[in-house]
Amino acid sequence: MRALIVYANPNPESYSAHLRDVAIDALQARGAEVRVHDLYGDDFAPAMTCQERADYHTAGTNERTIAPYLSDVKWCDTVVFVYPTWWFNMPAMLKGWLDKVLVPEATFILPTKTSPMQPKLQNVTTLAAITTCGASWLQSKFVGEPARKTLLRGMRFICSPRCRTQYVALFKIDTSTHDQRVRYANRVRNIMTNL
C-alpha cells in the first residue's frame, strides 16, 4: 500500500494532528509506505492566482507550481484526508489543494460535448476522510456534509472505478469527553489498519 495523507489544520497541537499521527502509525504498522502533505506546515497557497487560473486548462503549464503534490497523488493508491469540519465543510486550505492539485489532463480529462469527464487517477483505489465536527450527527446530515460529498463522491469520479471510500467523523467535538476522543482515535486506528 502507498498512502498519501492530506492533512489540513493550522494548529500543530490539535486533536486533528493526533488523528493524523494515529493514521500514520496504523498505516506504517501494516507495512504501508506513507507520505504526508501538511498543507499549513508547507505554507501551501490555496488561492489560485489569476495566472494559475488562466493556465488551468493548459496541460503541463498547470502542473508547474504543484508538481511535488501532483507527483504524490500519482504515486499513491490510497488518499486519506485528515481535517476538522468548519462550518459544515472542509477548511479553505484543503479546498484550495483540491482546486490546484487535481488539474485537468494530469488527473482527469475535461468533458466535451460528446463525452463526460474521464478519470486519470486509476492508481487511486481507496479514499478515506477522518474528521471532527462541532455539530451533531443530525445537524451534519441535515446540512448534507458537503466535504464528505466533495471528497468521497466528487474526487472518486476521477479515481479507479473500483475505488472504495471510508468516512469517519467525531461529532460534537467541542463538548466531547477525553474518553470519547480516545475511543474515536482507536476507531481511526482500526479503520486505517483494515483499510
Side-chain angles (χ1 to χ4, degrees):
M1 173 186 274
R2 295 182 309 278
L4 172 63
I5 294 180
V6 183
Y7 168 68
N9 191 309
N11 183 353
E13 297 178 6
S14 68
Y15 183 61
S16 293
H18 174 65
L19 295 173
R20 175 204 59 208
D21 294 344
V22 167
I24 291 169
D25 291 346
L27 289 166
Q28 288 177 336
R30 63 176 286 184
E33 294 178 66
V34 179
R35 296 181 185 175
V36 179
H37 290 181
D38 178 349
L39 303 186
Y40 286 94
D42 291 350
D43 288 327
F44 183 81
M48 265 193 207
T49 65
C50 183
Q51 188 60 54
E52 285 171 330
R53 182 58 196 158
D55 293 338
Y56 183 74
H57 295 283
T58 307
T61 303
N62 62 4
E63 300 170 29
R64 282 195 303 242
T65 61
I66 49 87
Y69 296 97
L70 182 59
S71 174
D72 285 348
V73 170
K74 290 182 174 184
W75 162 83
C76 70
D77 55 47
T78 301
V79 182
V80 178
F81 297 96
V82 182
Y83 62 95
T85 296
W86 294 337
W87 270 104
F88 300 100
N89 214 327
M90 66 185 76
M93 179 68 85
L94 179 52
K95 178 58 168 66
W97 184 90
L98 295 170
D99 290 341
K100 292 177 79 170
V101 175
L102 303 182
V103 291
E105 304 311 318
T107 62
F108 66 95
I109 299 171
L110 288 162
T112 66
K113 289 182 181 179
T114 58
S115 66
M117 178 174 69
Q118 300 295 312
K120 287 196 75 176
L121 290 180
Q122 301 292 329
N123 54 296
V124 177
T125 57
T126 304
L127 291 171
I130 300 167
T131 192
T132 57
C133 308
S136 68
W137 178 90
L138 185 60
Q139 288 171 316
S140 298
K141 294 298 179 187
F142 177 77
V143 171
E145 298 178 308
R148 179 180 186 168
K149 289 178 181 176
T150 297
L151 297 172
L152 304 186
R153 291 185 187 178
M155 186 173 172
R156 189 180 182 282
F157 276 122
I158 64 173
C159 297
S160 167
R162 296 178 310 280
C163 184
R164 298 171 301 128
T165 61
Q166 179 71 51
Y167 178 82
V168 58
L170 176 59
F171 298 96
K172 298 174 74 173
I173 181 68
D174 300 320
T175 57
S176 65
T177 66
H178 174 75
D179 287 346
Q180 287 172 321
R181 293 189 297 276
V182 169
R183 283 197 302 272
Y184 180 67
N186 287 335
R187 183 175 174 210
V188 167
R189 185 180 305 281
N190 290 336
I191 288 170
M192 293 296 105
T193 298
N194 298 297
L195 200 59

